[in-house]
């Protein structure tokens, strides 16, 4: 007896529906769960013909198969009554056969799989949306109309609708610009002179997502609603309607609507349509960003071309008259015997040479300013500096100066030949702004992964307040500091920056003057 109670308890408490019927198809046993699934009381089930309970043709066929002695598994939809929703059911039915092989009846295990089916359907819809978003990502270069058509047709599919539309809003959300309708709408709609731009405050129910700033669902479009303004003759008939706004920050940038779904719209439809439209808007933003970037690059390239052209023209047109002045000044210096006039011509020649130097430096800096990357090779800094010192030998001797450059071995650096301009500028300044009969000390020291090259002069030095702007272009420091156009040291910094190095200036700790230094990466 204890075992029978246990079996009956298991039978009644089973999460699955269990129905037993005899060989005539009459139900003799059923548990509470089967009663709940079928939505009938147990007393109305027991004693009934099982074929009358499951009146679906396919289910009836499955039960007949069991009554013929063959097990069967079946999934189907069961509708208890027109007043309630249908139930997705899974049957596992087996014949009950006696020891001598005769049929006694059958037993059916019934499971309500509606929730599982619903989750599976949701997963399928999510998968479809992800596939649509993936395709959307691959349409970056497609025409905008093609993209919009694709998105709203996918919106119709995802929500199980028949028709839909997609629209964008202007900057202040006052006007809605209809971008695309479903093809079926275009075929069915016979409204004359269809507009593509609508004033938001004048449109009816389909403008509510913008005004209310949230999704709107109308599952009975024919029911009276104070917000409805009707639609013109020839408009497609609507049975239900759903629309969502798409935000960028606080601003509504787009809206999408779908209509005429067989069932009711719900939160799941809102979610799918919103996520799809957000994917579209992200694509629109990226397209706009790329267009702006492309336009900027084109403008920049054009600007650089104009700058190079202007630089070449400026250099050519300015050097020509300066060259003529130089030629006549040199000629007059040879011809003129009057000492006073000779000094005047010498002044003209000296300042003209400064002008030529300024033009050359300006042109050189403009060229450097257009570089982003340069090619490197292995260069021995000692050889480069020795070459530079040799080039300035006449200037050094003229001012009766001494350049000390003590070095041992080689100093392989990762450099470009333009690095010579750096040392030329630093040495030129040291010669120009140091007193005559003084020393200039050039040294190379090991700084780990870099070489540090320093040029020490015994001139007037640079004040601390002027050091930060010393390497900026077109910056002059005080009269007691380095004087000039401000381009020489700007060129130094630009070249060193292109090499990935650093540049600076500090006071000479051993006395008056300054130490200008640069660091460059070692080779290898």
């Amino acid at each position: 007896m204890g075992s029978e109670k246990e079996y009956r308890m298991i039978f009644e408490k089973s999460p699955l529906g269990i129905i037993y019927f005899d060989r005539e198809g009459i139900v003799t046993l059923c548990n509470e769960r089967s009663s709940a699934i079928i939505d009938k009381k147990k007393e109305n089930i027991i004693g009934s013909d099982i074929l009358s309970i499951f009146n679906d043709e396919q289910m009836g066929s499955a039960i007949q198969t069991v009554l013929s002695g063959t097990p069967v598994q079946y999934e189907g939809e069961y509708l208890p009554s027109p007043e309630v929703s249908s139930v997705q059911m899974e049957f596992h039915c087996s014949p009950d056969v006696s020891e001598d092989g005769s049929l006694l009846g059958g037993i059916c295990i019934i499971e309500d799989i509606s929730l599982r089916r619903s989750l599976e359907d949701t997963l399928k819809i999510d998968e479809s949306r992800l596939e649509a978003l993936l395709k959307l990502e691959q349409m970056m270069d497609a025409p905008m109309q093609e993209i919009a058509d694709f998105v709203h047709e996918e919106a119709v599919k995802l929500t199980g609708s028949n028709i839909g539309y997609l629209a964008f809003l202007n900057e202040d959300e006052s006007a809605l610009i209809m971008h695309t309708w479903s093809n079926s709408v275009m075929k069915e709609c016979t409204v004359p002179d269809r507009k593509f731009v609508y004033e938001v405050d004048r449109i009816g129910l389909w403008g509510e997502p913008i005004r209310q700033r949230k999704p709107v669902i109308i599952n009975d479009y024919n029911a009276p609603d104070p917000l409805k303004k009707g639609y013109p003759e020839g408009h497609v008939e609507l049975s239900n309607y759903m629309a969502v706004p798409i935000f960028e920050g606080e601003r509504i940038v787009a809206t999408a609507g779908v209509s005429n779904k067989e069932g009711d719209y719900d939160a799941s439809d809102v979610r799918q349509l919103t996520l799809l439209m957000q994917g579209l808007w992200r694509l629109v933003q990226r397209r706009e960003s790329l267009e702006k970037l492309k336009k900027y690059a084109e403008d920049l390239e054009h600007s650089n071309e104009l700058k190079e052209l202007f630089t070449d023209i400026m250099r050519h047109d300015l050097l020509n008259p300066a060259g003529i002045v130089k030629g006549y000044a040199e000629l007059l210096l040879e011809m003129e015997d009057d000492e006073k006039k000779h000094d005047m011509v010498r002044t003209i020649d000296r300042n003209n040479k400064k002008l030529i130097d300024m033009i050359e430096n300006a042109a050189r800096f403009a060229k450097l300013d257009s570089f982003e990357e340069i090619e490197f090779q292995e260069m021995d800094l000692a050889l480069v500096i020795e070459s530079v010192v040799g080039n300035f030998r006449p200037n050094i001797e003229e001012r009766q100066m001494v350049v000390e450059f003590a070095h041992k071995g080689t100093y392989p650096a990762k450099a470009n030949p333009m690095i010579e301009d750096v040392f030329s500028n630093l040495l030129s300044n040291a010669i120009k702004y140091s007193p005559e009969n003084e020393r200039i000390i050039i040294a190379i020291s090991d700084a780990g992964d870099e070489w540090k090259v320093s040029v020490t002069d015994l001139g007037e030095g640079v004040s601390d307040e002027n050091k930060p702007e010393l390497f900026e272009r077109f910056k002059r420091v005080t009269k007691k500091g380095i004087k000039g156009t401000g381009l020489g040291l700007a060129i130094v910094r630009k070249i060193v920056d292109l090499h990935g190095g650093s540049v600076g200036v500090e006071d000479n700790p051993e006395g008056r003057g300054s130490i200008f230094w640069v660091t460059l990466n070692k080779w290898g």
Side-chain angles (χ1 to χ4, degrees):
M1 290 296 291
S3 296
E4 183 180 345
K5 285 183 179 180
E6 290 174 1
Y7 289 142
R8 181 162 292 279
M9 182 185 70
I10 293 171
F11 177 79
E12 289 297 341
K13 298 298 183 182
S14 172
L16 302 175
I18 305 174
I19 296 178
Y20 183 84
F21 51 92
D22 62 20
R23 63 186 176 184
E24 301 300 328
I26 303 301
V27 177
T28 58
L29 286 171
C30 72
N31 64 356
E32 290 295 339
R33 181 56 183 156
S34 61
S35 172
I37 294 173
I38 297 171
D39 196 31
K40 289 184 179 180
K41 294 181 178 180
K42 286 178 64 174
E43 55 264 33
N44 294 332
I45 298 174
I46 296 173
S48 301
D49 186 341
I50 192 168
L51 292 175
S52 67
I53 297 173
F54 302 108
N55 51 16
D56 176 85
E57 184 177 337
Q58 287 182 294
M59 288 184 182
S61 175
I63 292 170
Q64 288 284 14
T65 301
V66 174
L67 290 172
S68 68
T70 304
V72 67
Q73 180 178 338
Y74 173 73
E75 288 187 14
E77 188 175 41
Y78 172 67
L79 183 64
S81 67
E83 292 78 24
V84 297
S85 300
S86 61
V87 180
Q88 295 289 331
M89 298 173 59
E90 183 176 84
F91 281 81
H92 294 270
C93 295
S94 300
D96 180 18
V97 182
S98 67
E99 292 182 358
D100 62 6
S102 59
L103 180 70
L104 299 177
I107 185 168
C108 284
I109 307 298
I110 309 169
E111 182 181 3
D112 182 352
I113 59 171
S114 300
L115 178 59
R116 189 178 81 194
R117 281 288 184 85
S118 175
L119 292 173
E120 288 173 352
D121 290 342
T122 300
L123 288 173
K124 286 179 181 178
I125 293 173
D126 282 343
E127 186 177 349
S128 297
R129 171 175 50 78
L130 291 173
E131 288 179 359
L133 290 173
L134 179 60
K135 290 179 182 177
L136 185 61
E137 290 294 324
Q138 297 168 349
M139 297 177 71
M140 178 68 75
D141 298 326
M144 190 59 212
Q145 188 61 51
E146 182 181 336
I147 293 173
D149 289 342
F150 169 78
V151 168
H152 95 269
E153 291 295 346
E154 287 296 321
V156 169
K157 291 178 189 176
L158 287 174
T159 57
S161 305
N162 287 316
I163 56 177
Y165 69 85
L166 168 63
F168 292 103
L169 272 79
N170 63 351
E171 197 71 28
D172 62 1
E173 301 182 20
S174 63
L176 183 145
I177 301 92
M178 188 64 66
H179 208 85
T180 183
W181 284 276
S182 297
N183 292 332
S184 55
V185 173
M186 300 299 289
K187 292 176 182 176
E188 295 177 30
C189 186
T190 58
V191 176
D193 302 324
R194 285 193 298 270
K195 295 191 300 181
F196 289 86
V197 180
Y198 300 85
E199 295 180 28
V200 172
D201 59 357
R202 300 188 65 179
I203 56 179
L205 197 57
W206 60 295
E208 286 305 304
I210 304 166
R211 290 189 284 267
Q212 296 185 33
R213 310 188 77 75
K214 66 180 182 179
V216 169
I217 293 177
I218 306 294
N219 278 319
D220 184 2
Y221 201 86
N222 295 318
D225 193 309
L227 299 173
K228 289 171 62 175
K229 296 185 179 181
Y231 38 68
E233 185 179 350
H235 193 281
V236 177
E237 292 291 328
L238 304 180
S239 59
N240 53 15
Y241 168 75
M242 179 187 77
V244 298
I246 304 302
F247 288 85
E248 181 185 351
E250 297 296 321
R251 185 170 74 91
I252 298 177
V253 293
T255 180
V258 288
S259 189
N260 293 0
K261 179 180 179 178
E262 287 189 10
D264 287 346
Y265 289 109
D266 56 26
S268 175
D269 296 311
V270 170
R271 173 176 170 269
Q272 296 296 344
L273 186 56
T274 300
L275 290 173
L276 182 65
M277 286 297 297
Q278 286 174 342
L280 169 64
W281 186 247
R282 285 194 295 270
L283 180 69
V284 169
Q285 288 179 307
R286 285 201 302 276
R287 281 169 62 99
E288 290 179 353
S289 296
L290 286 174
E291 285 297 320
K292 289 178 181 178
L293 189 61
K294 183 180 177 182
K295 179 68 166 56
Y296 175 76
E298 290 174 351
D299 290 346
L300 186 61
E301 184 178 357
H302 181 61
S303 174
N304 285 335
E305 289 173 355
L306 288 177
K307 185 174 73 174
E308 288 182 13
L309 178 61
F310 174 76
T311 301
D312 290 341
I313 292 173
M314 179 190 74
R315 181 175 179 274
H316 179 267
D317 288 353
L318 291 179
L319 283 180
N320 274 347
I324 294 172
V325 172
K326 181 177 180 292
Y328 277 109
E330 290 175 351
L331 184 60
L332 286 171
L333 285 173
E334 294 177 3
M335 296 172 55
E336 187 58 60
D337 295 327
D338 187 295
E339 188 63 29
K340 187 175 181 180
K341 291 180 180 179
H342 198 276
D343 288 343
M344 293 172 64
V345 175
R346 188 180 292 110
T347 301
I348 292 172
D349 183 53
R350 185 172 59 253
N351 283 278
N352 187 64
K353 286 178 180 177
K354 289 182 181 179
L355 175 62
I356 292 173
D357 187 53
M358 288 169 58
I359 295 169
E360 292 285 7
N361 277 341
R364 188 178 298 112
F365 186 86
K367 292 286 186 183
L368 285 173
D369 208 31
S370 65
F371 288 163
E372 293 184 3
E373 294 182 0
I374 56 176
E375 295 182 358
F376 297 106
Q377 63 189 56
E378 182 179 1
M379 298 183 70
D380 184 355
L381 294 183
L383 294 179
V384 175
I385 293 171
E386 283 182 346
S387 175
V388 170
V389 173
N391 293 336
F392 280 89
R393 187 60 61 190
N395 307 74
I396 296 168
E397 292 175 353
E398 181 183 353
R399 294 178 60 80
Q400 298 179 353
M401 303 178 77
V402 175
V403 175
E404 297 179 2
F405 177 41
H407 58 89
K408 293 181 181 180
T410 60
Y411 303 84
K414 182 181 179 182
N416 181 280
M418 69 172 64
I419 197 66
E420 185 174 328
D421 284 347
V422 170
F423 304 126
S424 293
N425 269 293
L426 295 181
L427 182 55
S428 174
N429 281 344
I431 295 169
K432 193 182 302 182
Y433 302 116
S434 293
E436 294 184 358
N437 303 308
E438 283 289 2
R439 291 180 305 145
I440 295 172
I441 304 167
I442 302 175
I444 304 176
S445 59
D446 192 327
D449 294 333
E450 298 176 314
W451 297 115
K452 184 174 183 179
V453 181
S454 60
V455 178
T456 305
D457 65 63
L458 300 175
E460 296 176 347
V462 181
S463 66
D464 290 340
E465 64 182 23
N466 288 321
K467 286 172 184 172
E469 61 182 21
L470 195 60
F471 294 91
E472 295 181 26
R473 57 181 172 176
F474 302 117
K475 289 285 187 179
R476 280 179 176 268
V477 298
T478 60
K479 292 181 180 181
K480 291 185 178 180
I482 301 297
K483 299 178 285 293
T485 64
L487 279 174
L489 292 177
I491 290 172
V492 168
R493 164 165 277 176
K494 181 63 180 178
I495 294 175
V496 173
D497 285 346
L498 289 170
H499 279 73
S502 54
V503 61
V505 61
E506 57 194 49
D507 295 334
N508 182 4
E510 297 182 3
R512 56 192 173 84
S514 302
I515 301 176
F516 285 81
W517 56 265
V518 299
T519 62
L520 297 168
N521 293 320
K522 292 180 179 178
W523 179 262

